[in-house]
Amino acid sequence: MKNCLVVDDSKVIRKVARHILESLDITVSEACDGREALSQCQSSDPDVVLLDWNMPVMSGMEFLQQLNATRSSRPKVIFCTTENGLGHIKAALDAGADEYVMKPFDRDTLESKLQIVGVL
């Protein structure tokens, strides 16, 4: 079974994502900021990370930069954010994100993104 680390400072977003991912037979773990997520990635190997952009302690971009610097092989990363400007999308993809999804998202959208990155 595939597993996903959901990284978001919003408990509501984490709960919605968990519900959708579990309905797709994906095991879910959660982190509320980038630092906690980085720690979890070092102790386990998620197949995919659903990553918020704006978080306290360590942002999504900082997390992605640290993940790239510390891991030779890393999980797929899907940025999940309200930041919808082309500059943000390009910056995320240039930093190594595999996909980008806008909040609010639904099951079909998230399922499609997971298929694109090869998790489903």
Side-chain angles (χ1 to χ4, degrees):
M1 183 180 285
K2 299 290 186 175
N3 57 70
C4 178
L5 174 59
V6 177
V7 187
D8 201 300
D9 57 322
S10 167
K11 188 175 182 176
V12 172
I13 294 296
R14 292 194 314 267
K15 183 176 180 178
V16 168
R18 174 180 288 278
H19 176 76
I20 292 170
L21 291 162
E22 288 178 344
S23 78
L24 296 168
D25 291 325
I26 296 174
T27 303
V28 177
S29 55
E30 299 179 17
C32 61
D33 62 58
R35 184 176 297 148
E36 183 182 340
L38 199 56
S39 175
Q40 286 191 40
C41 284
Q42 291 168 343
S43 63
S44 67
D45 264 336
D47 296 298
V48 63
V49 175
L50 191 60
L51 181 63
D52 186 24
W53 189 291
N54 297 310
M55 295 178 289
V57 184
M58 181 186 283
S59 72
M61 285 296 280
E62 291 168 323
F63 163 81
L64 186 53
Q65 290 164 348
Q66 289 289 318
L67 185 68
N68 288 336
T70 59
R71 302 274 305 248
S72 57
S73 65
R74 67 166 180 79
K76 298 292 185 181
V77 175
I78 301 174
F79 255 110
C80 177
T81 182
T82 57
E83 302 291 348
N84 64 355
L86 287 177
H88 281 96
I89 295 170
K90 183 177 180 340
L93 296 174
D94 287 348
D98 298 286
E99 257 305 328
Y100 201 93
V101 65
M102 297 304 304
K103 290 179 189 175
F105 52 87
D106 59 18
R107 185 182 192 279
D108 291 341
T109 302
L110 192 52
E111 184 176 17
S112 170
K113 297 295 183 178
L114 291 165
Q115 287 172 342
I116 289 169
V117 300
V119 174
L120 289 180

